[in-house]
Amino acid sequence: MTQAEIINQLKNMTVAERLELIEVAVQQIRAELRSSEGHLQVADHADEEIRRAVDIMLPEYLHNSELTAFTALDGEDFYVEE
């Protein structure tokens, strides 16, 4: 069945039937992503993005005191007791 045929069939379904179909499709996609190959691909991609972000931002945090100014408050208690 082509994508166009599927979309055409969706028009004949009730809202509840379409929602149920979407839920099943999402569950199948999540199951595929949890499979060993899919999980590794997603995890590797996320790790790579985090590493790039760290490489970009680390010099800023090391040399720009405006980004770390609030760390002076790390020991402060922010909760007011009444």
Side-chain angles (χ1 to χ4, degrees):
M1 188 178 283
T2 67
Q3 184 177 3
E5 291 171 328
I6 293 170
I7 291 171
N8 194 35
Q9 287 297 317
L10 286 173
K11 294 175 185 176
N12 299 324
M13 299 172 80
T14 66
V15 172
E17 290 170 330
R18 285 182 276 171
L19 285 172
E20 184 179 348
L21 179 67
I22 291 167
E23 288 174 0
V24 169
V26 168
Q27 289 172 357
Q28 289 178 350
I29 292 168
R30 285 185 176 150
E32 288 178 29
L33 290 174
R34 274 188 294 236
S35 70
S36 60
E37 183 178 331
H39 179 68
L40 291 175
Q41 289 175 354
V42 170
D44 289 346
H45 181 68
D47 287 348
E48 184 179 319
E49 285 190 27
I50 291 170
R51 280 190 206 98
R52 278 199 305 258
V54 167
D55 289 341
I56 291 168
M57 292 306 298
L58 182 61
E60 288 295 318
Y61 280 98
L62 291 175
H63 305 292
N64 187 344
S65 61
E66 290 182 19
L67 293 175
T68 58
F70 290 109
T71 59
L73 303 173
D74 284 350
E76 297 290 322
D77 187 9
F78 290 102
Y79 299 102
V80 177
E81 294 182 19
E82 294 183 37

